[in-house]
Amino acid sequence: MSTNPERSGSSERSGHPGHSGRPGDSEHGVHREVTELQGKSATAARLFDIRRIIGGLFVVYGVIVTIAGITASDADIDKAEGVNINLWTGLSMLALGLFFLVWLWLRPVAPPVPDESPAEGPPAV
């Protein structure tokens, strides 16, 4: 038998820890779960912001193409009519990627606004 006062006999029968059967406890548990889910949602929104993905890819590919431009031979430059196209394209990609990442840093995603509608059930018809 458990000596924990939060786990009364009703919570042991239901199999759900934290549900003691007292009126205020289930509301507190639901509020806590909603708060946790809102935090996870805000984190996911920041993590999968399209600016982060586009900026990161442009920076990675920009570094690769810039290295290819730096190591280009005279024959490669002659093929492009005297322009080191890999170098200029790589630097442009780096600049664009850094622009997206700075934009993300300066204007982060606002967390989603919680819905304040009552969770009593479906609306009356």
Side-chain angles (χ1 to χ4, degrees):
M1 196 77 190
S2 173
T3 59
N4 189 348
E6 291 182 359
R7 294 188 62 160
S8 65
S10 64
S11 68
E12 291 175 4
R13 285 190 297 267
S14 67
H16 297 288
H19 293 286
S20 63
R22 292 180 285 194
D25 287 347
S26 63
E27 291 175 14
H28 177 69
V30 169
H31 179 65
R32 181 178 45 81
E33 289 178 20
V34 167
T35 304
E36 288 174 5
L37 288 174
Q38 286 173 347
K40 288 179 183 179
S41 175
T43 302
R46 284 191 300 272
L47 182 63
F48 294 110
D49 187 0
I50 194 72
R51 297 174 294 180
R52 180 182 310 264
I53 296 168
I54 292 173
L57 285 174
F58 267 100
V59 166
V60 168
Y61 289 131
V63 167
I64 293 169
V65 174
T66 301
I67 291 172
I70 291 171
T71 61
S73 66
D74 289 335
D76 292 334
I77 295 172
D78 288 340
K79 284 182 191 178
E81 298 185 15
V83 177
N84 192 345
I85 194 71
N86 284 338
L87 180 64
W88 290 108
T89 303
L91 291 174
S92 300
M93 292 173 76
L94 275 172
L96 183 64
L98 291 174
F99 167 75
F100 273 97
L101 294 176
V102 167
W103 179 22
L104 176 69
W105 182 64
L106 292 175
R107 303 277 317 248
V109 175
V113 178
D115 188 20
E116 295 296 327
S117 63
E120 299 298 320
V125 184

